[in-house]
Amino acid sequence: MIYFKYVSSLAIAFLGAHLAEWLHLPLPWLLGPLFITAFLKMNHAPIECHHSARNIGLSILGLTLGLYFTPQMIQLIATQWPLLLGGLLFALFLGAIGSAILYRWGNVDFKTAWFASAIGGANEMSNLAEHYQARVDKVASAHTLRVLMVVVIVPFFYQFMGWHGLDHSTLHRHGDVNWFGLALLASLAYFVSRFFKYYKLPNPWTFGALLVAILFTTQDIHLSAMPTTILHLGQVLLGWSLGNKFKPGFFKTAPHYLSIVTLSNLSAILLAGLLAYALTFWTDIPLPTLGLGIAPGGVAEMALTANVLQLGVPLVTAFHVIRMVGVLGTVGYLYQLLERNKHKFQLK
């Protein structure tokens, strides 16, 4: 009976994808399942997403993104390291600004505000919040809302502006689908991801698959292209799992807090857009690609947006991978530094 619930819920997610495609929404295979699943979950519908759905979706996305990292693209990324480092520093700046806003107006202690505002993965930030005894529920809800806002606002804005397929220098080199080669890639990705998970490395299902595909692609070894149907499946699974996070009463549990989180996220999105525009005066990277690279969204969602819209996939992926690793590696130490000097900063 429980398996029927998963199968029927997945069928509803696919229905949402087709409905979104019929309505010509941006990223229909991601946003359609997200919208319909979130709506039904918040209205007490008996649907559920299996915990493995997001893992499979992330692995599909990781393999897809890795196939873009040809030797030429690696050379391009290597020349942009100051920009990538700047993206990391900007993410830390956004986190600091957001934490100040939440601490001042969100009615939470500073450590909760700090980990709720860091531009990192929801799971990783929630784990750090638990380690430092912050409010895990508020940290998790803040990151869920942040990802939802970015993954909805950015694609709709890009569709309004007509930004897609502009960065021809980084378009994926489409090859033939080889099912044996694809099965080999998937198998290797699974084992590497399990290795990442065992050692508690960040985002193991994305980064494990990404690493496998990059290792082959950078050596000009092309085992297979990613079939469109498989990529669509990955998007549906990601949208389904993200929508599943919105339990009944999600927006009613702490309306004041979530309102402040919303305003903070809107400010972060606006600042990211302004920085991306300013950077166009110093680099020849197209504004849409810069916008996706700097946007305060998750690595999976922003890289997927770049993939669907054909906007500098390797560079956008590099922006978010470096940011995730950098934020995860520093946010705990920065909090400890602030905690030791809390009297100077008047933090409680």
Side-chain angles (χ1 to χ4, degrees):
M1 188 67 179
I2 189 171
Y3 292 107
F4 175 76
K5 180 170 65 174
Y6 291 135
V7 172
S8 59
S9 300
L10 180 57
I12 291 173
F14 271 103
L15 176 64
H18 287 290
L19 180 60
E21 192 171 44
W22 180 69
L23 292 172
H24 300 289
L25 299 185
L27 275 68
W29 293 91
L30 175 72
L31 294 184
L34 189 163
F35 288 151
I36 197 168
T37 302
F39 175 79
L40 292 174
K41 287 288 290 188
M42 288 191 292
N43 285 277
H44 302 273
I47 64 172
E48 196 65 47
C49 176
H50 194 275
H51 63 85
S52 64
R54 182 166 178 81
N55 297 342
I56 296 172
L58 290 173
S59 293
I60 292 172
L61 178 62
L63 285 175
T64 303
L65 298 175
L67 297 177
Y68 285 84
F69 283 77
T70 62
Q72 295 78 14
M73 291 304 103
I74 293 294
Q75 292 176 8
L76 172 64
I77 292 171
T79 64
Q80 301 295 341
W81 69 265
L83 202 58
L84 299 175
L85 179 60
L88 168 60
L89 295 176
F90 178 69
L92 294 173
F93 168 75
L94 286 183
I97 294 297
S99 63
I101 292 173
L102 285 189
Y103 177 60
R104 177 65 178 82
W105 292 290
N107 296 331
V108 293
D109 59 3
F110 181 75
K111 58 186 172 184
T112 298
W114 178 259
F115 292 108
S117 301
I119 312 298
N123 291 336
E124 290 80 10
M125 292 304 106
S126 296
N127 291 337
L128 282 172
E130 184 176 15
H131 175 76
Y132 288 101
Q133 299 179 327
R135 288 286 303 274
V136 178
D137 57 337
K138 293 198 171 184
V139 171
S141 62
H143 285 288
T144 299
L145 185 56
R146 172 177 61 85
V147 172
L148 174 70
M149 290 180 64
V150 175
V151 83
V152 171
I153 292 173
V154 172
F156 272 98
F157 180 73
Y158 274 45
Q159 178 174 272
F160 175 77
M161 296 297 294
W163 289 344
H164 57 85
L166 301 178
D167 196 358
H168 299 289
S169 64
T170 59
L171 291 184
H172 180 41
R173 198 172 72 188
H174 292 283
D176 295 328
V177 174
N178 183 308
W179 291 103
F180 176 79
L182 186 61
L184 178 59
L185 280 173
S187 299
L188 291 172
Y190 174 78
F191 288 113
V192 173
S193 296
R194 293 294 299 182
F195 176 84
F196 274 38
K197 185 173 178 60
Y198 180 81
Y199 286 99
K200 298 181 180 180
L201 298 176
N203 212 336
W205 299 101
T206 301
F207 289 172
L210 180 67
L211 177 61
V212 167
I214 286 178
L215 289 177
F216 281 103
T217 307
T218 53
Q219 301 301 314
D220 265 333
I221 301 173
H222 302 281
L223 297 178
S224 175
M226 181 60 68
T228 301
T229 53
I230 300 297
L231 181 57
H232 284 171
L233 172 63
Q235 294 177 59
V236 169
L237 294 176
L238 290 175
W240 181 30
S241 63
L242 183 57
N244 190 66
K245 295 179 181 293
F246 292 86
K247 309 297 182 185
F250 177 86
F251 291 102
K252 297 178 182 178
T253 53
H256 174 76
Y257 171 72
L258 290 180
S259 297
I260 301 301
V261 170
T262 299
L263 292 176
S264 177
N265 289 333
L266 288 174
S267 300
I269 294 171
L270 179 60
L271 286 173
L274 291 175
L275 177 61
Y277 177 73
L279 288 174
T280 59
F281 293 97
W282 287 278
T283 178
D284 57 356
I285 299 173
L287 174 59
T289 300
L290 285 171
L292 289 180
I294 296 172
V299 57
E301 292 80 14
M302 290 299 95
L304 176 59
T305 302
N307 177 69
V308 173
L309 299 182
Q310 298 180 332
L311 294 170
V313 178
L315 193 58
V316 171
T317 303
F319 262 112
H320 286 279
V321 168
I322 289 174
R323 187 187 73 190
M324 171 173 277
V325 174
V327 169
L328 185 60
T330 59
V331 70
Y333 295 108
L334 289 173
Y335 169 73
Q336 293 176 19
L337 176 64
L338 291 172
E339 176 67 18
R340 287 195 297 268
N341 295 275
K342 61 184 178 182
H343 298 298
K344 296 180 182 179
F345 296 101
Q346 296 183 342
L347 304 176
K348 58 182 177 181

